Amino acid sequence: MSGPVSAPPAPGRAPSYAAFGLRAEAEPLAPGLHIVATPIGNLKDISFRALSTLAAADAVLAEDTRTSKTLLAHYGIATPLLPYHEHNAAQMRPKILEKLRQGGKLALISDAGTPLVSDPGYKLVAEVVAEGLPVTGIPGPSAVLAALVLAGLPTDRFFFEGFLPPKSAARKGRLTELAAIPGTLVFFESPRRLAEMLADAAAVLGARSGAVARELTKYYENVRRGALPELAAHYAETEEARGEIVVVIGPPDASAVAAQGDTLDEALRVALTKVSLKEAVAQVAAASGQPRRVVYARALELTRTP
């Protein structure tokens, strides 16, 4: 899908957008910052409210104006695009805040999906909220939620991590910290690192169930499900995966979490009979691979228990 459905409105006419071959006038927009979710691949996955907001805004703040230009052109929206990304955010935020103080109506979008999820928009929203200026959310597509519901894994609890560290040692360290979370884990990953990431996940988390979702909502959408070792072997043997990737990993077995907790407590009790609390925490954290803050919190609980 590309190209506008129809020409943008003539100068002086009310803001509008086009869909299904028809042009609709945008509803009046209240002053403030409007956070608008946009399609993650299929341009049809956008709400009428989002289109109306984008058309009626004074300007659209976009992570990549080239990508966003295609979306606006497809729906015949003539609103100016302004770049807002991690490289210019510090310079742009004061200007945006001043515009909002004057009653401006601004829309914030990301490259794709819901803004603020793994992008710099949260800093802007935090400052807007701190000044008491209005913020409105226009919900819509999200790669995180789309992958989660397609994975076939528990959805009652989940933890979104974003991108893991690119180096194996740091990646394994972070996976170790996440291992005990009693919920499904969701990650973004680069195609060139996918096989290595899955291998590290299998090494740290074992044979948990997982899913690799690629090109969600697009023509070549694909979801591969299986145990982590199987997924790691598959992507190690095939050519590099392409497109945007979300990796979903199931939660730990409840009995394994309990056993891990029992082992940690036992190690702490033994260490505390020999050395100080600080030294015991350091020793057990190093031996177990658990984060020091987790071990310290557990050590405090044990020392307070009569």
Side-chain angles (χ1 to χ4, degrees):
M1 301 177 65
S2 62
V5 176
S6 61
R13 292 182 60 184
S16 63
Y17 60 91
F20 304 108
L22 301 172
R23 179 160 289 282
E25 186 173 317
E27 296 180 3
L29 192 62
L33 180 66
H34 300 262
I35 305 166
V36 184
T38 56
I40 58 176
N42 191 321
L43 291 183
K44 290 183 288 186
D45 292 337
I46 193 165
S47 69
F48 290 121
R49 184 183 175 201
L51 291 173
S52 181
T53 300
L54 294 174
D58 298 327
V60 175
L61 307 172
E63 190 173 0
D64 187 335
T65 55
R66 295 168 299 179
T67 301
S68 302
K69 184 178 181 180
T70 299
L71 173 67
L72 267 59
H74 180 81
Y75 287 104
I77 296 173
T79 307
L81 282 163
L82 297 177
Y84 180 77
H85 45 72
E86 60 180 341
H87 302 297
N88 75 347
Q91 292 75 35
M92 284 291 292
R93 275 197 297 273
K95 299 176 183 178
I96 294 169
L97 288 167
E98 181 57 31
K99 178 69 173 176
L100 294 173
R101 292 187 198 105
Q102 296 173 3
K105 299 169 291 184
L106 300 176
L108 174 68
I109 63 176
S110 63
D111 260 359
T114 302
L116 279 67
V117 179
S118 204
D119 82 21
Y122 80 92
K123 295 180 181 178
L124 173 61
V125 172
E127 293 195 22
V128 172
V129 170
E131 292 209 17
L133 297 168
V135 181
T136 303
I138 293 83
S142 165
V144 174
L145 295 179
L148 182 66
V149 300
L150 289 174
L153 296 168
T155 58
D156 53 337
R157 291 182 181 180
F158 68 93
F159 182 88
F160 172 63
E161 172 69 6
F163 286 94
L164 286 166
K167 301 294 184 181
S168 180
R171 187 162 52 228
K172 286 182 176 179
R174 182 56 182 157
L175 284 166
T176 299
E177 294 177 346
L178 300 172
I181 291 177
T184 296
L185 305 176
V186 185
F187 306 90
F188 287 156
E189 192 48 86
S190 159
R192 66 179 182 276
R193 290 197 300 264
L194 177 61
E196 296 176 2
M197 179 269 190
L198 290 169
D200 286 345
V204 174
L205 304 176
R208 292 194 198 182
S209 296
V212 176
R214 298 190 301 108
E215 297 288 79
L216 289 172
T217 77
K218 300 177 183 177
Y219 183 79
Y220 291 105
E221 174 179 294
N222 175 266
V223 181
R224 177 171 289 273
R225 306 170 183 86
L228 287 177
E230 298 169 0
L231 291 172
H234 172 79
Y235 287 104
E237 295 169 0
T238 58
E239 64 179 78
E240 183 179 285
R242 297 179 181 179
E244 297 178 351
I245 295 171
V246 185
V247 177
V248 186
I249 299 175
D253 181 83
S255 60
V257 173
Q260 185 180 46
D262 292 342
T263 302
L264 183 65
D265 286 359
E266 182 180 351
L268 278 169
R269 288 191 181 99
V270 172
L272 287 167
T273 63
K274 300 177 181 179
V275 297
S276 68
L277 185 145
K278 182 178 179 180
E279 292 173 331
V281 168
Q283 290 178 10
V284 174
S288 67
Q290 291 292 316
R292 183 172 298 210
R293 64 181 182 278
V294 173
V295 178
Y296 180 71
R298 188 56 192 155
L300 286 178
E301 291 181 20
L302 291 176
T303 55
R304 290 169 183 163
T305 302

